[in-house]
């Protein structure tokens, strides 16, 4: 049986299950009663891991939550089609399909054979986690500006193989592989 977590023990970044849905705690605020006999309340700002909806809810300190059956599984991006985005589970070697809603903004980084981590809840995929940096090929750049800027950091716009546009230094050329941060969507160096 899964361990139970009391509401008073839920802290930031805690994963828990409420009403058969996995949640991630973004903030937790405990308010103690001022009157005798009052109950301690816990206000949680939480993200539904199935829908990504964020909301706040108040619980009594003694309420209990189950630990969710969540796991991270290594996977490789294969291709996208009309059904969604297809990944090869590196543990079971089965092909798993995620919808566009499950993938979200990660589509800007998905290239063939990219290794990611799949989030599974009760054995079913619910989302993914990208690596910190992804190597992508520059397919197009705008002409660089002549002269230097006041700040000294001259950049130009580059279009990557996934269609993502980012700012890169002037020395980056078409066809070159670069590293891009998946968190900031910024140039992180040559590959």
């Amino acid at each position: 049986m899964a361990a139970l977590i009391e509401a008073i023990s839920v802290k930031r970044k805690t994963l828990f299950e409420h009403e058969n849905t996995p949640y991630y705690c973004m903030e937790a605020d405990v308010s103690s009663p001022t009157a005798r006999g009052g109950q301690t309340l816990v206000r949680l700002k939480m993200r539904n891991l199935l829908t990504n909806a964020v909301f706040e809810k108040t619980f009594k300190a003694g309420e209990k939550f189950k630990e969710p059956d969540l796991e991270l599984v290594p996977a490789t991006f294969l291709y996208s089609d009309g059904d969604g985005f297809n990944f090869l589970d590196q543990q079971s070697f089965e092909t798993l399909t995620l919808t566009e809603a499950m993938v979200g903004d990660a589509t800007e980084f998905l290239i063939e054979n990219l290794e990611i981590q799949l989030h599974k809840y009760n054995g079913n995929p619910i989302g993914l986690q990208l690596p910190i940096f992804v190597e992508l090929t520059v397919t197009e750049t705008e002409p660089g500006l002549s002269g230097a800027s006041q700040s000294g950091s001259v950049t130009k716009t580059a279009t990557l193989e996934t269609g993502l546009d980012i700012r890169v230094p002037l020395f980056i050329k078409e066809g070159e592989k670069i590293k891009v941060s998946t968190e900031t969507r910024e140039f992180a160096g040559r590959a």
Side-chain angles (χ1 to χ4, degrees), residues 52-106:
N52 282 327
V54 175
F55 59 94
E56 292 186 9
K57 188 165 182 172
T58 302
F59 299 94
K60 294 177 185 171
E63 285 188 60
K64 295 185 184 334
F65 306 113
K66 289 194 314 187
E67 268 188 28
D69 178 17
L70 287 171
E71 62 179 324
L72 277 177
V73 177
T76 305
F77 177 66
L78 298 174
Y79 60 93
S80 62
D81 58 19
D83 296 331
F85 297 85
N86 298 283
F87 297 86
L88 178 66
D89 183 323
Q90 294 296 319
Q91 290 181 337
S92 67
F93 297 107
E94 66 178 307
T95 301
L96 303 170
T97 304
L98 274 66
T99 64
E100 194 167 336
M102 291 172 165
V103 173
D105 290 343

Side-chain angles (χ1 to χ4, degrees), residues 36-141:
R36 270 189 351 167
Q39 291 188 343
T40 299
L41 300 176
V42 180
R43 184 166 187 80
L44 300 178
K45 182 176 182 180
M46 48 203 228
R47 176 184 306 279
N48 181 322
L49 293 177
L50 300 178
T51 64
N52 282 327
V54 175
F55 59 94
E56 292 186 9
K57 188 165 182 172
T58 302
F59 299 94
K60 294 177 185 171
E63 285 188 60
K64 295 185 184 334
F65 306 113
K66 289 194 314 187
E67 268 188 28
D69 178 17
L70 287 171
E71 62 179 324
L72 277 177
V73 177
T76 305
F77 177 66
L78 298 174
Y79 60 93
S80 62
D81 58 19
D83 296 331
F85 297 85
N86 298 283
F87 297 86
L88 178 66
D89 183 323
Q90 294 296 319
Q91 290 181 337
S92 67
F93 297 107
E94 66 178 307
T95 301
L96 303 170
T97 304
L98 274 66
T99 64
E100 194 167 336
M102 291 172 165
V103 173
D105 290 343
T107 58
E108 297 174 328
F109 298 103
L110 293 179
I111 57 170
E112 194 173 307
N113 296 321
L114 177 68
E115 293 181 15
I116 55 107
Q117 297 285 319
L118 273 179
H119 291 273
K120 284 186 167 184
Y121 173 62
N122 291 336
N124 298 315
I126 61 169
L128 61 89
Q129 180 176 319
L130 291 168
I132 296 171
F133 299 105
V134 174
E135 291 182 8
L136 297 170
T137 303
V138 176
T139 57
E140 188 179 323
T141 62

